């Protein structure tokens, strides 16, 4: 089964990320937290089931891993779609795990992401 959703990327890294893709689709970017969740990629067709999210690390010259492509370390599936959902939130964490959330209206930062950000640690992944 396929769904068509508008995608919003949330990054909880303290550095920018770019070339965010889900199953090779989307190509979004995000500023460092809290400058995240601002862009929308509309009308993305996705098949339900296992998902792969990739992104590249950005940041100032000399920052460890700049330009590296990362992939979600956790098992990721898009199965339970909220009835009437129009949006998919992709939540990318500094531990290289990802959560997906569906919503009827524009998605908000996740509870895990807000908790991670409140810890205030440096999340450069280096």
């Amino acid at each position: 089964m396929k769904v068509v959703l508008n995608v919003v990327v949330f990054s909880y890294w303290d550095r920018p990320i770019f070339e965010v893709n889900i199953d090779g689709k989307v190509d979004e970017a995000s500023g460092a937290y809290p400058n995240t969740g601002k862009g929308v990629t509309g009308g993305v067709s996705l098949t339900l089931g296992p998902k792969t999210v990739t992104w590249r690390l950005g940041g100032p010259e000399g920052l460890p891993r700049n330009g590296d492509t990362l992939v979600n370390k956790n098992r990721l599936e898009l199965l339970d779609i909220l009835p009437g959902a129009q949006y998919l939130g992709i939540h990318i964490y500094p531990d290289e795990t990802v959560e997906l959330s569906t919503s009827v209206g524009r998605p908000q930062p996740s509870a895990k992401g807000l908790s991670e950000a409140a810890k205030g640690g440096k999340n450069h992944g280096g």
Side-chain angles (χ1 to χ4, degrees):
M1 182 175 151
K2 288 193 175 211
V3 293
V4 176
L5 297 167
N6 302 309
V7 176
V8 178
V9 173
F10 293 88
S11 171
Y12 303 96
W13 287 74
D14 64 353
R15 65 193 290 175
I17 63 172
F18 61 102
E19 290 182 9
V20 177
N21 290 287
I22 182 166
D23 291 349
K25 301 176 181 182
V26 178
D27 198 19
E28 270 289 340
S30 175
Y33 186 85
N35 297 314
T36 190
K38 298 181 190 255
V40 177
T41 300
V44 178
S45 178
L46 297 165
T47 302
L48 295 183
K51 297 286 148 228
T52 300
V53 173
T54 60
W55 65 97
R56 292 184 63 197
L57 295 176
E61 186 176 332
L63 199 59
R65 301 175 72 191
N66 264 357
D68 285 3
T69 299
L70 305 179
V71 63
N72 58 286
K73 288 185 173 180
N74 58 316
R75 180 179 164 93
L76 196 57
E77 292 188 311
L78 181 61
L79 296 175
D80 299 321
I81 304 297
L82 189 68
Q86 296 179 15
Y87 289 88
L88 173 68
I90 299 176
H91 302 269
I92 301 174
Y93 303 107
D95 65 1
E96 300 175 31
T97 61
V98 175
E99 284 183 321
L100 303 176
S101 65
T102 59
S103 59
V104 175
R106 189 177 178 93
Q108 298 299 310
S110 71
K112 178 181 175 180
L114 294 174
S115 174
E116 290 287 323
K119 291 177 188 175
K122 294 291 180 193
N123 299 314
H124 292 301

